[in-house]
Every structure is written in C-alpha cells, then in structure tokens.
Amino acid sequence: MTSYKDKVAGILSKRETPPLFYIRSFGCQQNVSDGEKTAGLLYSMGCGVSPDIASADIIIYNTCAVRESAELKIYGMIGELKHLKEKNPELIIGICGCMAQEEKTVKKILSVYKQVDLIFGTFALEELPRLLYEVLANRKTVSATDEYGMKINEGIPVLRTEKFKASVPVMYGCDNFCSYCIVPYVRGRERSRRPSDILNEVRTLAESGCREIMLLGQNVNSYGKGLDEKINFSGLLRLINETEGDFRIRFMSSHPKDADFELIDTIIECGKVCKHLHLPVQSGSSRILKEMNRGYTAEKYKEIIDYARMRMHGFSFSTDIIVGFPNETGEDFRETLDMLDYVRFDNIFSFIYSKRTGTKAALLTDNTLPENKSERMRILLEKQKRINEENYKRFKGRILDVLFDGKSKTPGYISGKSDEFIIAEALCEDLSVIGSQKKVRVTETMNWAVRGEIV
Ligand code: 5AD
Ligand code: SF4
C-alpha cells in the first residue's frame, strides 16, 4: 500500500519546481524541536526550504499556548496571511503546535481565519503527510486534534536549523498539572524515550560535529518513569556523558520537586555537562507555591541551591518566575524578591500571570489589581538587573568556555554562551570561529553579558 508520504511526494514531483516551505516556531525549545520534525517531514516528501515567508508555497505557524500574549500575537499574524493567500490562492497555510491542540482555538480558526488550510495539534504531527495529501488532493481545509495514542514514533525525520547545536527530546508531556499551566492539557501525559534511541541520536550528532546537545523535556527529572529499563535522568546524563565526541550537554527544564542532590552530583561529576541548572521557582512564597500546585516550598528549593553551592562555589542557576498569580499579596511578592537575593540567579525569565481557560487557577477570583502586577514586574526586573550586574563581576579575569553561535550586534564582536549560560562576546574578525568552543578571558562585564578576548 502506498503511504501518504509517497502519495504527497508523487503529487509534488509532477510540479516543475519543488514547493518551498516556511515554518515559524513560537514558544519553548520543545516546540522548536517539533518544528524541526515538521520541516523534516516536508523535506522528506520533496519540499524545499524557503528563504523567506514571501516566496513560500507552504507557510506553517507552530504555535504556543502558554500565555495569552503569545496567542494574541499569533492570531494577528494568521490574520495578516490573508493578503498572501489573496495574492496566491495556491498557498497552503498550516497552524500546528499547542494552540492547535485546543478545541476552542481550532473552532475559532475554522470559523474566522478561512485562509488556513491545515490545522494539526501536537499529537498529530506525524499525521502531516495524510493531512497534506487531503489538502493537495481535495483542496479542502483539514484539522486533526485527536490524541493519536501516546506512543513515541522514533521514525520522524528531523531537519535541524543549526549544525553545531541540537535539541534532543528525552521525554514528552507533563503530569504535574501546575494550576496555571496549559501544557499538560495540550501535550498529554509524560512518556520517556528509550535510552538506546536517545544515545543513538546523540552519537550521530556528535559524529556530525555537533558541539552542544540540549536535552529536552517539560520535566526532565521525571525521565524514566514507565520504561522497562530502570533508569532516571541522572543515569541518562551519565550515559550521554560517556558518549565519545567533543560536545557539551545542557538540559531543560528541571522541576524543583524532583530535582535532587543526585542530580547536582551528576552535573558536577560529568565533564561534558554544563555547570548550570535552569530550575523554575515560579514564586518565593510557599503559600503561592501551594496554590500553584508546585509540590515544594521555598525552603525545599533553597536546600537544592545550598547543596549545589556547597559542592561547587559559583554553580550557576537560572529560573522562571510568575508575577501576579491570583491573589498574590505584597508580602508574597516580597518573598519572591527575597528569593532573588538568596539565590542570585544568573538569569531570570519572568512573566505576568496569564489566565488559561481549562486550568485550575482560571477558576480563582483574582483580587490582585493589574496595575500592581505590572508594578511588581518592573520592580522584579530592576532588582534582577542589579543582581546580574553584581553577579557577572565574578567572571572578571576568569577564563570561560564559550560556544560561539553568531555575530554580535556590537560591531566587530562575535557572540555565544558560556557553560554558565551567560552571553559572552569577543572581538574577532575570523568568522570561522562561529560554531566552535573557545576559551575567553573576561575583561569587561555588563548586566546582560560579559566581554573578553579569545585565549
Ligand atoms: N502565565 C504566566 N506564565 C506562565 N508560565 C506557564 N504558564 C503560565 C501562565 N499561565 C511560565 C512559567 C513556566 C514558563 C515556561 O512559562 O514560568 O516555567
Ligand atoms: Fe507546566 Fe508545571 Fe508541567 Fe512545567 S511542570 S509544563 S509549568 S504543568
């Protein structure tokens, strides 16, 4: 029986030139990774990569549903595609990702945004060949949001955007149901990939010259649950660390309720693993953490930090913070500020709470005023700016390992990330250095980056 992949390839091969696709992924690394699979599938069916949106025959927006601001922006962008479709009725427009997994969004797109041909949720990624076939053969709008089982399909091709950095999902889904978060509803239950499949992918990447491997999962610390092999995330890290090759290992995200001392020991003991942990705290108030259903207290969080810093002075932490969770008081917020003082994160990613229909927190009446929320956000960012400025001074005169990934906005400089996940710049005319890891002696520090010279 001919597969849908072959059927699509057959239709496309009759065209004079291959259709070009343009994919834009929003949101987290997991979504970017899914976008690389979508690209891989299209490429394997005979499509080419479009240099820009205007020349594309297939446009796909791979969406994020975590916050309302992201959704609104994406709706606006889908709206703008109407003009392109009017100019070129043959254009195929697809919407996928987390928004496309939500029934209410699919209904809205189907009724308002008639220019869209194809809607497929996170579970339907591998259904893309069938869906595309239906669009090409029947020129009708198709959507797929069913939960197509929870199995992991290892066979999907990946078209990677970068040569020297790669993401490798180790697990999918999330079982934590933090009260504010839509992810468990749009990405389903936790399921881990087999260690052998992950190791094979890492080996292939290392052999092809990849210098940084980012292991992905909504909560990597749950890795291994449900597998036949008895293995946890620390065990997986050790196995990957033993893989031959000149590359460094990062991962995200960890959940403080599951991050343990074994994880810290593993990071410190594994030579290839960056000495940095992204550990989303969300709030410094144990009361709010309970309301968020996070499963840890501020004290428990600090214990992990203390242990890491006891084992390795200068261990680098970054975090996510939600400001203005329903009924967050001034005192709760002060406890978040205290947490920043205590941990002295090297980076924070902060968000104003956004109500997500379908989550538990969406049912709460919120008495915290929006203007208080924005003011708290301002104070938080201001504080972290000062902390960064002071924190980064500790790097002055030190030599950092930096993987350069592009030209900096500062003329003459190239830019990359250190092992601590700090932006580092160096004056360098030789652009062939981009894509390699170099030692950089830090000569100057700012509140957003460090600068130095390659030694
Ligand atoms: N509102 C604001 N921020 C959110 N996040 C997740 N859900 C929401 C929400 N409803 C943030 C959390 C998470 C990060 C990826 O996004 O901080 O760690
Ligand atoms: Fe969302 Fe919490 Fe799961 Fe992270 S751990 S994806 S914040 S539910």
Side-chain angles (χ1 to χ4, degrees):
M1 204 177 74
T2 323
S3 72
Y4 282 108
K5 240 175 160 179
D6 295 337
K7 284 185 187 176
V8 172
I11 296 177
L12 297 181
S13 66
K14 294 197 184 85
R15 298 195 178 180
E16 255 171 47
T17 52
L20 303 182
F21 65 83
Y22 173 91
I23 299 178
R24 172 131 184 224
S25 292
F26 300 83
C28 68
Q29 297 279 336
Q30 182 63 58
N31 221 34
V32 173
S33 168
D34 285 356
E36 292 182 335
K37 285 186 182 150
T38 311
L41 277 170
L42 290 172
Y43 193 74
S44 71
M45 291 185 283
C47 302
V49 180
S50 175
D52 50 45
I53 191 164
S55 357
D57 305 290
I58 302 173
I59 296 173
I60 294 192
Y61 284 162
N62 183 21
T63 61
C64 170
V66 167
R67 282 171 294 274
E68 192 185 19
S69 52
E71 283 200 353
L72 292 176
K73 183 173 155 199
I74 293 165
Y75 278 128
M77 291 175 66
I78 303 174
E80 283 165 21
L81 294 178
K82 198 173 169 188
H83 305 298
L84 287 180
K85 185 81 165 206
E86 277 162 4
K87 267 199 253 163
N88 172 17
E90 292 298 307
L91 177 67
I92 293 175
I93 296 175
I95 308 296
C96 62
C98 290
M99 275 170 78
Q101 192 59 50
E102 286 188 286
E103 218 174 290
K104 70 166 180 16
T105 311
V106 175
K107 273 194 193 142
K108 178 166 170 177
I109 295 176
L110 286 174
S111 64
V112 180
Y113 300 92
K114 303 281 186 203
Q115 63 272 33
V116 174
D117 303 279
L118 188 61
I119 309 169
F120 56 106
T122 54
F123 294 108
L125 203 156
E126 59 199 74
E127 295 291 307
L128 178 60
R130 174 176 66 78
L131 300 167
L132 189 58
Y133 174 76
E134 285 175 20
V135 172
L136 288 166
N138 312 323
R139 264 331 297 193
K140 64 167 194 188
T141 303
V142 293
S143 68
T145 53
D146 294 351
E147 300 206 359
Y148 291 88
M150 284 300 195
K151 67 179 183 0
I152 295 177
N153 186 343
E154 287 293 343
I156 301 186
V158 183
L159 189 66
R160 298 190 187 270
T161 31
E162 285 174 309
K163 257 216 250 95
F164 49 90
K165 285 199 293 184
S167 301
V168 174
V170 300
M171 58 182 302
Y172 301 95
C174 180
D175 286 355
N176 290 306
F177 289 93
C178 300
S179 65
Y180 51 82
C181 186
I182 197 74
V183 168
Y185 303 92
V186 291
R187 288 196 172 268
R189 300 289 61 74
E190 283 173 358
R191 53 242 186 250
S192 296
R193 289 178 72 192
R194 286 205 310 261
S196 54
D197 291 325
I198 298 170
L199 284 169
N200 281 340
E201 191 172 342
V202 168
R203 240 174 255 131
T204 311
L205 285 165
E207 281 163 12
S208 69
C210 185
R211 293 278 170 265
E212 178 179 299
I213 291 176
M214 169 76 91
L215 307 174
L216 293 181
Q218 302 300 339
N219 171 14
V220 290
N221 300 113
S222 306
Y223 177 78
K225 283 184 196 159
L227 284 176
D228 294 338
E229 294 101 316
K230 205 174 159 344
I231 183 166
N232 64 8
F233 185 64
S234 293
L236 179 71
L237 269 183
R238 286 186 191 276
L239 284 177
I240 297 175
N241 187 62
E242 281 159 21
T243 307
E244 246 178 74
D246 177 17
F247 63 93
R248 65 185 189 186
I249 304 165
R250 298 190 177 291
F251 56 91
M252 69 190 319
S253 279
S254 278
H255 194 306
K257 91 176 154 53
D258 301 315
D260 52 14
F261 295 168
E262 185 194 1
L263 176 70
I264 303 288
D265 292 342
T266 309
I267 296 172
I268 292 173
E269 286 159 21
C270 289
K272 289 191 171 97
V273 178
C274 292
K275 310 303 175 225
H276 160 256
L277 184 59
H278 182 69
L279 198 61
V281 67
Q282 312 298 0
S283 169
S285 151
S286 295
R287 186 188 78 81
I288 293 286
L289 288 171
K290 192 155 188 255
E291 291 284 306
M292 288 176 164
N293 191 31
R294 290 289 287 173
Y296 57 88
T297 59
E299 288 62 43
K300 160 86 195 330
Y301 187 89
K302 287 178 186 166
E303 276 173 24
I304 306 169
I305 308 288
D306 291 346
Y307 181 76
R309 296 265 163 83
M310 183 269 288
R311 288 242 26 217
M312 189 185 158
H313 178 69
F315 193 106
S316 174
F317 285 95
S318 58
T319 203
D320 292 348
I321 288 174
I322 295 179
V323 172
F325 184 80
N327 305 315
E328 179 192 70
T329 63
E331 181 50 33
D332 292 322
F333 176 64
R334 259 188 299 284
E335 289 179 3
T336 297
L337 294 178
D338 288 347
M339 186 60 96
L340 295 197
D341 274 330
Y342 190 90
V343 183
R344 305 187 69 73
F345 296 103
D346 277 325
N347 256 314
I348 64 165
F349 301 88
S350 45
F351 316 96
I352 291 193
Y353 168 77
S354 170
K355 181 175 167 177
R356 305 285 63 206
T357 308
T359 62
K360 280 239 171 80
L363 304 173
L364 298 169
T365 13
D366 185 3
N367 295 313
T368 311
L369 297 172
E371 51 268 38
N372 285 350
K373 296 188 183 193
S374 348
E375 177 60 4
R376 286 174 195 170
M377 186 62 152
R378 194 192 61 71
I379 294 171
L380 185 88
L381 292 174
E382 199 48 47
K383 182 172 195 74
Q384 183 58 28
K385 222 161 109 184
R386 278 205 310 280
I387 291 178
N388 275 357
E389 196 166 329
E390 292 159 12
N391 257 6
Y392 288 8
K393 282 188 187 147
R394 77 183 192 274
F395 295 119
K396 191 138 183 201
R398 263 178 62 187
I399 292 178
L400 302 182
D401 289 307
V402 178
L403 175 62
F404 286 100
D405 54 18
K407 277 163 85 171
S408 153
K409 281 189 189 139
T410 325
Y413 281 80
I414 56 172
S415 159
K417 288 265 174 67
S418 76
D419 270 7
E420 296 78 8
F421 216 40
I422 306 285
I423 300 174
E425 296 190 337
L427 198 59
C428 179
E429 280 174 8
D430 178 8
L431 295 185
S432 68
V433 170
I434 293 169
S436 62
Q437 181 158 314
K438 298 280 176 203
K439 300 230 174 268
V440 171
R441 180 180 292 110
V442 177
T443 51
E444 192 186 345
T445 63
M446 288 83 79
N447 61 17
W448 55 278
V450 299
R451 257 188 213 144
E453 51 204 17
I454 297 174
V455 292

